[in-house]
Amino acid sequence: MTEEIGTGSSLQNKYFNREMSWLQFNARVLQEAEDTATPLIERLRFIGIFSNNLDEFFKVRYATIKRIAEAGKGGRSFLGGISASELMEEITQTVIKHQKTSLSILNTIERELEKEHIYIIKETEVSDNHKAFIANYFITKVSPALVTIMIGELEKFPSLKDSAAYLAVKMVMSKEDKAFEAKNTYALIEIPKNVERFVELPADGNKQYIIILDDLIRYCLNNIFSIFKYDSISAHMIKITRDAELDIESDLSKSFIDKISKSVKNRSAGDPVRFVYDKRIDKETLDFLMFKMGIDSTDSIIPGGRYHNRRDYMGFPSLGREDLQYKKITPLPIPGLSLQGSLLDKIAQKDYLLYAPYQTFSYVVKFLREAALDPAVKAIKITIYRLAEISHIASSLINAAKNGKEVTVQIELQARFDEQANIYYAEQMQGEGVKLIFGVAGLKVHSKVCLIEREENSRIVRYAFISTGNFNESTARIYTDYTLFTSNQKIGKELNKVFDFFEVNYKIKKYRHLIVSPHYTRNSLYSLIETEILNNIKGKPSGIKLKLNSLSDYKMIDRLYAASRAGVKIKLIVRGICCLIPGVKGMSENIEIISVIDKFLEHPRLFIFENGGNQKLYISSADFMGRNLDNRVEITCPIYDENIKQEINDTFEICWSDNVKARIVNQNQDNKYRKNNKVKVRSQFALYEYYKNKLEA
């Protein structure tokens, strides 16, 4: 029944390119740094988020495109109608433009900080009042952590660390110097990561001073190189980004933990994919470095500003200035669900929904703490993707194992950039008797579920929570996510089937309630979309509402296009990548898309289908990306409780009504803010008020 788009259509006319769409998402992050309504110190932190995002983009996505180009493949069908080499050039030019904008914004923010009597000084601006402090700070804190390499005379250039920042030092040697034959000699100073990047200097009255570590080191160059005689010395920042793909060896004698651990360590030697340098560096030094480092035309070469690793701005100090930061909110309790009594007793009576960070993540920890102590609880099973650095989740599971519970943890050791933390906790849990499962060959386990089995009246009763986000106390303060607490035995039994699949994965289970990737999600979603098309044709209520992080799967997009052509109204809230082009006559005129970037990171996956008036509503760990649909274990859970259905509908509509922080995704990809004459709705702030009002009611 579904009408497919003709194969004669140009891919570039049907879909936005995934990488360019991602860069537009990161431009929205940069808009938050530019927005004068964003508190001043938070604007600096958005500069950091923008930069951190870009680092990860080059490590993963640009590295993949480079591999395609180096393999001699065009990649047009995979990349949406553009060749790999063309796309690499387009990415580089776009990033150069965005970096230029980010530097301009940073300069503006620094001028605004000065109006607030906060001064970020350079090494040439150090006052007499600060000289003694800086000298002592350098000797006691910085100098012991410095790695300085004299590269001018080395035959082999040292391997630079991925995403570490270096000062490339050039010394024009004095005629009196006998140590070096060449007129110029070069050194590299690695900016230490174990020293604060922003050094707070003693205040002068109401004036506060910061010096960036790079400039503090520049100020102390004569101290570092005091044994040499030179006429002049200069230092400019450089950074390389390496391919972050893990190459896992096949040695059968090694444990999976050992293989992943070694692969993570080897990541530091991955091929370079981006070289960023201070555009004020002299050509002679730049040519020397690029020749020695083997930087070539397939790498993205970005002329940048004075400072790199601007991701460190995420940790810019608060300076005691609460007026220049977001007002902190106190996460709210769930109405009717006290943290003082037994959660399991309450959940046995009805389902509850947690929406973090508006409501407190403490319920997740409390659920596990209670299960760890309850003599009636016999088993705990959980999937883990990303843990907090200090994880109460992990300690609760270890506590449960010490109390004799059968604890099974499916932990994903290949969670990108969190492998080391997960390895650490995996080894801890394994040492305490927790049973670990390391996934399914060829599939990442991205689902976020926990199941406990409790003996009640000589039978096993199951309790569970299913989430759209990670069980991570740190991210739960800044990521918005739904978590359903339920004692629905049908859902509990099907969750148990998923854990059985982890252990015996040649047997494909069947489900009536859960939708599980990689076997069922794609076709189940196709069927749900098809139903909306048929209902619309029959004159029944129809409509699709989706909230996603990313939408990039071409086949899924084609189904949504077909629904649009059939007259089905579709509302999409997509935070990040969106390859669907909305509002095109004859293809997608019934599809509207917004993206909300604000104080919190929008993270839930939510699917709402009108279904002829008998609405079907799901929360999920899966985005509409090929990897989530076909190459990961994902769980999409139906919502059956009518009150929770209404609550989720309410929260979707509040987000959809945003006319302060919502950007319209349109054919021009110009990130225009949605503006209208309606009452101002800043959805994240409105959602907090919504939940406060529910408590009062």
Side-chain angles (χ1 to χ4, degrees), residues 99-144:
Q99 291 279 44
K100 184 178 179 181
T101 301
S102 73
L103 288 172
S104 174
I105 294 169
L106 187 55
N107 289 335
T108 300
I109 294 171
E110 288 181 355
R111 288 195 296 271
E112 292 296 315
L113 285 169
E114 289 180 3
K115 293 177 184 177
E116 296 290 339
H117 308 296
I118 297 170
Y119 299 88
I120 301 175
I121 64 169
K122 296 183 175 65
E123 77 278 9
T124 56
E125 300 168 329
V126 173
S127 71
D128 291 341
N129 294 338
H130 292 141
K131 286 179 179 178
F133 176 90
I134 289 175
N136 181 65
Y137 190 91
F138 178 78
I139 291 168
T140 58
K141 298 283 182 69
V142 182
S143 183

Side-chain angles (χ1 to χ4, degrees), residues 23 54 58 91-100 302:
L23 288 174
L54 207 52
F58 274 93
I91 288 170
T92 297
Q93 293 308 313
T94 301
V95 169
I96 289 172
K97 178 183 172 184
H98 288 176
Q99 291 279 44
K100 184 178 179 181
I302 311 289

Side-chain angles (χ1 to χ4, degrees), residues 64 177 480 537 614 663:
T64 299
D177 183 83
T480 67
I537 291 170
N614 183 22
R663 282 72 154 180

Side-chain angles (χ1 to χ4, degrees), residues 288-328:
F288 172 83
L289 290 169
M290 289 181 63
F291 173 74
K292 287 287 190 178
M293 294 168 68
I295 301 294
D296 60 38
S297 59
T298 60
D299 301 310
S300 187
I301 301 169
I302 311 289
R306 180 180 173 88
Y307 311 102
H308 306 326
N309 277 7
R310 289 199 302 277
R311 64 169 183 259
D312 292 342
Y313 278 103
M314 290 192 293
F316 191 83
S318 299
L319 300 171
R321 294 295 301 271
E322 293 184 10
D323 57 317
L324 301 182
Q325 301 172 79
Y326 284 127
K327 183 180 177 182
K328 289 183 170 61

Side-chain angles (χ1 to χ4, degrees), residues 365-623:
V365 178
K366 164 73 173 174
F367 183 100
L368 287 171
R369 291 281 189 207
E370 182 176 338
L373 298 178
D374 187 345
V377 170
K378 302 304 177 186
I380 302 174
K381 303 176 183 182
I382 192 169
T383 60
I384 287 175
Y385 195 70
R386 298 185 194 276
L387 286 169
E389 188 175 341
I390 299 173
S391 175
H392 298 303
I393 301 295
S395 63
S396 297
L397 295 168
I398 290 170
N399 188 183
K402 287 179 179 291
N403 282 332
K405 316 298 182 190
E406 184 182 318
V407 181
T408 302
V409 176
Q410 151 55 51
I411 188 164
E412 181 50 70
L413 294 186
Q414 297 180 74
R416 183 93 64 179
F417 306 123
D418 276 335
E419 299 95 344
Q420 199 66 55
N422 285 5
I423 289 168
Y424 168 76
Y425 276 114
E427 289 174 337
Q428 267 206 334
M429 289 189 283
Q430 198 170 49
E432 297 290 352
V434 173
K435 178 182 178 182
L436 296 184
I437 303 174
F438 299 117
V440 181
L443 301 174
K444 276 189 179 180
V445 178
H446 189 247
S447 56
K448 293 91 166 54
V449 296
C450 176
L451 177 69
I452 72 166
E453 295 179 342
R454 191 170 188 270
E455 188 175 328
E456 298 177 9
N457 299 320
S458 301
R459 68 186 185 95
I460 293 297
V461 177
R462 295 185 172 93
Y463 298 80
F465 57 81
I466 302 108
S467 186
T468 64
N470 300 307
F471 304 139
N472 183 314
E473 297 91 326
S474 298
T475 58
R477 291 194 289 268
I478 53 174
Y479 286 27
T480 67
D481 275 302
Y482 295 111
T483 300
L484 175 72
F485 294 93
T486 185
S487 61
N488 184 308
Q489 295 305 295
K490 293 175 181 178
I491 288 176
K493 286 178 182 178
E494 293 196 353
L495 287 174
N496 200 49
K497 286 185 180 181
V498 175
F499 283 97
D500 287 345
F501 170 71
F502 292 146
E503 299 196 65
V504 186
N505 42 66
Y506 57 84
K507 290 184 179 179
I508 298 174
K509 308 291 184 178
K510 292 185 178 180
Y511 308 91
R512 294 187 60 189
H513 302 274
L514 300 178
I515 301 173
V516 182
S517 292
H519 303 115
Y520 300 109
T521 304
R522 181 181 291 280
N523 287 334
S524 295
L525 290 170
Y526 284 174
S527 178
L528 288 162
I529 295 169
E530 188 72 27
T531 298
E532 297 307 312
I533 293 172
L534 292 172
N535 283 338
N536 190 70
I537 291 170
K538 293 174 183 177
K540 295 182 178 181
S542 67
I544 300 171
K545 299 173 185 175
L546 305 173
K547 190 169 187 181
L548 302 164
N549 291 300
S550 299
L551 170 57
S552 64
D553 185 81
Y554 295 159
K555 291 180 181 178
M556 193 64 70
I557 290 170
D558 285 350
R559 301 287 170 142
L560 293 171
Y561 284 158
S564 172
R565 287 195 301 277
V568 178
K569 299 293 183 184
I570 302 172
K571 294 179 178 179
L572 303 179
I573 303 173
V574 184
R575 171 174 54 87
I577 297 165
C578 182
C579 296
L580 188 153
I581 306 176
V584 178
K585 190 173 181 181
M587 183 173 80
S588 58
E589 66 263 47
N590 287 307
I591 302 177
E592 295 179 82
I593 309 175
I594 63 169
S595 177
V596 175
I597 307 291
D598 200 354
K599 177 180 179 179
F600 303 124
L601 185 139
E602 296 284 339
H603 197 251
R605 290 87 166 185
L606 171 64
F607 316 151
I608 304 173
F609 299 92
E610 285 307 313
N611 192 41
N614 183 22
Q615 194 181 72
K616 289 190 174 182
L617 194 154
Y618 302 87
I619 60 171
S620 181
S621 61
D623 283 306

Side-chain angles (χ1 to χ4, degrees), residues 39-54:
L40 201 50
I41 289 177
E42 302 293 351
R43 290 171 66 186
L44 275 179
R45 291 168 181 167
F46 273 110
I47 289 280
I49 296 168
F50 163 82
S51 185
N52 185 66
N53 288 347
L54 207 52

